[in-house]
Amino acid sequence: IYEITREMDSIVDSMEEVSNRFIVFDVKELKPACTQMADFTMQAIRELEVLFKHLSEVKKSTIVKEQIIEVNRIENEGDIVYRQALSELFHNEKDPIEVIKWKHLYEQLEHCLDSCEHVANIIEGVITKYA
C-alpha cells in the first residue's frame, strides 16, 4: 500500500511540476507532443481508476489484469512520443533556452506516465504473489 501511495503521489507531484513550469518558463504555446503525453497520462489515470474499482473482483474477473496491460500499453506509446519529441527538439530547435525548457517539460511528463505504470506493476506483483 505504501509503494502504491508513493507512486500515486509521484504522479500528482509530476503533474504539478509540469503545470508550475509552464508558468515559470512562460510557455505561450504547447507543442503537439506535450499535449499527446498529457493525454496519455490522463488515459493511464482513468485506467488506474477502473483497476482500483474492480480490485476486489480480481479472483472472479480479468478486468484488473486487462487494465494493467492497458496502462503498460499507454506508457509504451508515451515512450515513443517522448523519444520522438526529444529527437525533434534536439534536431530542430536552435535556441538553447528552448531546448532546456522543453527537455525538462517532456521529462516530467514522461515521469508522470512512468509513475502510472509503476502503480499498475505494483498491483500486478501483489496479484501474482497472492494468486
Side-chain angles (χ1 to χ4, degrees):
I1 292 173
Y2 170 75
E3 288 181 44
I4 292 168
T5 305
R6 186 185 69 220
E7 286 302 326
M8 290 177 74
D9 183 57
S10 182
I11 295 167
V12 174
D13 288 348
S14 294
M15 291 174 75
E16 184 178 25
E17 174 74 11
V18 170
S19 64
N20 287 336
R21 293 300 173 183
F22 282 131
I23 296 165
V24 171
F25 294 161
D26 195 31
V27 173
K28 300 289 186 205
E29 188 176 323
L30 295 178
K31 295 185 181 286
C34 180
T35 304
Q36 278 185 292
M37 291 179 72
D39 287 344
F40 285 141
T41 300
M42 291 308 300
Q43 289 174 28
I45 290 168
R46 285 186 200 105
E47 299 300 330
L48 288 173
E49 179 183 15
V50 172
L51 182 154
F52 281 112
K53 284 182 180 178
H54 294 277
L55 198 53
S56 64
E57 306 164 17
V58 72
K59 293 192 180 202
K60 301 177 220 168
S61 172
T62 61
I63 194 161
V64 171
K65 291 179 182 177
E66 292 166 6
Q67 297 310 116
I68 291 168
I69 291 167
E70 185 61 13
V71 170
N72 282 298
R73 185 194 66 75
I74 292 167
E75 195 279 334
N76 288 337
E77 284 189 40
D79 283 345
I80 292 166
V81 171
Y82 171 67
R83 285 190 297 270
Q84 289 172 341
L86 284 182
S87 178
E88 182 179 311
L89 180 66
F90 284 103
H91 284 95
N92 298 332
E93 183 58 60
K94 302 303 177 208
D95 182 352
I97 300 298
E98 288 297 308
V99 170
I100 293 167
K101 286 181 189 181
W102 284 102
K103 180 181 178 289
H104 181 76
L105 290 168
Y106 289 142
E107 286 173 347
Q108 286 303 310
L109 287 163
E110 167 63 7
H111 190 266
C112 288
L113 279 170
D114 285 345
S115 294
C116 291
E117 183 180 43
H118 292 159
V119 170
N121 290 343
I122 293 165
I123 302 262
E124 182 178 38
V126 170
I127 290 169
T128 302
K129 183 175 180 177
Y130 294 103

